[in-house]
Amino acid sequence: MALFYVEGLPIGWVAIMLALLASMGGFIFGYDTGQISDIVLMDDFLLRFATCTTPGDVSTCAFSVVREGLIVSLLSIGTLTGALCGAPTADFLGRRYAMASECVIFIIGVIIQLCSFHVWQQFAVGRFVSGLGVGALSAAVPMYQAETAPAQIRGTLTATYQLFITLGILVAYCISIAARSAPGSGSWRIVVGIGIIWPLILGIGILFMPESPRWLAVHNRMPEARRSLARTRGVPVEEAQDHPVLKAEADDIQANALYEAQFKSGWIDCFKVENKTLYRTLLGMSLQSLQQLTGANYFFYYGATIFKSVGISDSFVTQIILGAVNFFCTFGGLYVMEKFGRRRPLIVGGLWQSAWLFVFASAGTAKDPAQNPNIGKLMIVSACLFILGFATTWAPGIWILIGETFPTRTRAKQGALATASNWLWNFLLAFFTPFIVKSIAFRYGFVFASCNLLGAIVVYFFLYESSNLTLEKVNEMYTDPKCKPWTSRRWAPPGYASRRDLIQQVKSAEVEKQLAVTGADGNTTNGSANGHSQEHLTDGKAGNGNV
């Protein structure tokens, strides 16, 4: 049975569960990101792994810029490698089994960190191994969610990946502040060790969810693909073959899979000009890079250190405030990205984020925040308002686009390349930020502010509006020579006056189906069905009627 209806179309509870469960991959990433900024300030961690001029006196212990940068950033090198390996893994094993195996890799990395005693290089290598799992998951999870979720709520369900990233960061902050008073190495081992729980939940739970119908279709397993579609729609499996919406969607997926099966799919195909494949590869890589260059991880990786430098007595508490703002504002992002599409929120978000980073950098540059409490407070407020904009636009929006912009044949590889570019910039920022901050202090914010402006420009001139379309129709839109990014919001498949007309006709087909079922039970009749919507739903390769 359907859990609820959106635009008259059924949505099953499985669609919600698979999105939430797969999003544990984002939680793992967020937890690992959030924990390190606090761990590097813990007394026992400093005594074991930092350089101390007086052994046993934590007040004389400090990390060199290089050592701190490596401990923080080696996770990102692992994720970069993992993201590239995640594509062939997801294509070979399937989306579910790939995620389960990647959870095992993450757990191995956590164990290596827990077994570290006095060699900081071992702890850093453990973060690298965990990063392999995180990176592969970051490529697989948004792709799985986009390929499996009903188009009507695809934006919301895919955005839960970012929501869980923010939840993971917040939980890491809360556990860190609770564990910092634990005796000895327990202060940081508790924080690291709890990280094993999250991949266990994902690795085991995902095996009970349906496989991606697009992956099944590519591997010539259409009966299973139809069952997967039926489960996410909350439609009895035995009715899937006759259900007008499911039948049209399955036929479109199968036709697309048969067409793409004629071509071999390798990494080189991601860079071919035909069908705007190269265009979309470069667009995905650019957007993922610009998401890092918004400056969000400047606060998440080094937030405790930043706010300690502006005179905050307990920087751990400030981290929790930032984490809470990030998490709760992401709920707004779920609504914004579904209600207003993809382009408009990203453009507005880029301008908003830029403005508050200019405030942050200007305040920190004008006066020494450590000597001026009001300047410090202004910087915290501006950082929170920046996070508000990021959490509602660029944070969820880019992960949604990575799942729905690319064609099925090369989606895994293009998604991996885009995600790898995210992790490359993640590493560069994590490693070089201590050097840059030491040189230019809070003027670093001006760099990020400029990058946010660039992001808004790139979205306006190059990104197509992909909301309310099936993945097959998104591909059709990108290959339509008459459609331009700034006019794409008005684009609709052939046979429809507008995108709203497309939605209404598919909704009408679903209503007719319900009337027919009711009529079969003897309660009403369906003699008035005009067949117009059904005609659009079954017109073959054009796939009209899908949404």
Side-chain angles (χ1 to χ4, degrees), residues 255-275:
N256 186 71
L258 291 173
Y259 172 76
E260 295 194 345
Q262 303 173 47
F263 309 95
K264 292 183 178 180
S265 176
W267 287 99
I268 194 65
D269 293 291
C270 300
F271 301 96
K272 291 186 176 180
V273 177
E274 293 83 359
N275 296 324

Side-chain angles (χ1 to χ4, degrees), residues 146-160:
E147 290 182 345
T148 311
Q152 292 74 26
I153 57 171
R154 186 178 62 238
T156 299
L157 295 189
T158 309
T160 57

Side-chain angles (χ1 to χ4, degrees), residues 85-98:
C85 295
T89 303
D91 280 342
F92 180 73
L93 296 178
R95 311 320 191 203
R96 295 181 307 145
Y97 289 115

Side-chain angles (χ1 to χ4, degrees), residues 35-49:
Q35 68 180 10
I36 196 61
S37 65
D38 289 337
I39 285 176
V40 295
L41 296 179
M42 291 180 176
D43 290 351
D44 185 81
F45 196 82
L46 286 165
L47 287 168
R48 288 174 182 271
F49 303 116

Side-chain angles (χ1 to χ4, degrees), residues 125-391:
V125 168
R127 283 179 58 77
F128 171 80
V129 175
S130 291
L132 293 173
V134 171
L137 285 170
S138 69
V141 171
M143 178 171 56
Y144 172 72
Q145 290 175 318
E147 290 182 345
T148 311
Q152 292 74 26
I153 57 171
R154 186 178 62 238
T156 299
L157 295 189
T158 309
T160 57
Y161 178 74
Q162 176 62 28
L163 176 67
F164 273 59
I165 291 177
T166 63
L167 178 60
I169 293 172
L170 178 59
V171 169
Y173 290 162
C174 294
I175 292 177
S176 295
I177 200 171
R180 64 179 174 172
S181 59
S185 64
S187 58
W188 58 273
R189 290 189 198 277
I190 290 173
V191 181
V192 175
I194 287 176
I196 293 178
I197 297 173
W198 325 127
L200 286 176
I201 294 173
L202 172 58
I204 296 172
I206 199 66
L207 299 178
F208 295 93
M209 294 293 105
E211 182 54 89
S212 159
R214 270 99 181 164
W215 184 84
L216 291 169
V218 167
H219 289 78
N220 199 28
R221 295 161 62 177
M222 278 308 300
E224 294 174 69
R226 288 189 171 87
R227 287 196 293 271
S228 176
L229 286 172
R231 290 184 65 187
T232 57
R233 287 291 190 180
V235 173
V237 174
E238 59 273 13
E239 297 181 13
Q241 186 64 38
D242 299 323
H243 194 283
V245 175
L246 289 189
K247 184 178 185 301
E249 191 169 355
D251 289 347
D252 212 17
I253 290 172
Q254 184 176 27
N256 186 71
L258 291 173
Y259 172 76
E260 295 194 345
Q262 303 173 47
F263 309 95
K264 292 183 178 180
S265 176
W267 287 99
I268 194 65
D269 293 291
C270 300
F271 301 96
K272 291 186 176 180
V273 177
E274 293 83 359
N275 296 324
K276 281 196 173 180
T277 305
L278 174 62
Y279 178 101
R280 286 184 270 180
T281 299
L282 296 177
L283 176 62
M285 295 175 68
S286 299
L287 291 174
Q288 282 282 27
S289 299
L290 287 165
Q291 189 197 53
Q292 282 297 316
L293 289 168
T294 58
N297 279 348
Y298 169 57
F299 295 103
F300 297 141
Y301 280 140
Y302 294 102
T305 305
I306 292 168
F307 291 112
K308 187 176 181 179
S309 69
V310 302
I312 303 299
S313 57
D314 193 341
S315 56
F316 282 62
V317 174
T318 307
Q319 281 288 82
I320 290 179
I321 293 172
L322 279 182
V325 171
N326 190 30
F327 172 63
F328 288 109
C329 288
T330 304
F331 281 100
L334 303 183
Y335 172 80
V336 167
M337 300 307 297
E338 200 68 70
K339 176 70 174 179
F340 300 103
R342 317 295 188 243
R343 283 173 48 86
R344 289 179 180 175
L346 292 179
I347 293 170
V348 173
L351 298 175
W352 172 276
Q353 291 153 208
S354 178
W356 287 109
L357 281 170
F358 272 119
V359 173
F360 177 89
S362 299
T365 303
K367 292 184 179 180
D368 182 0
Q371 304 300 322
N372 192 316
N374 289 331
I375 289 293
K377 291 176 183 177
L378 175 60
M379 293 177 71
I380 292 174
V381 170
S382 59
C384 288
L385 290 171
F386 160 78
I387 295 297
L388 183 152
F390 178 75

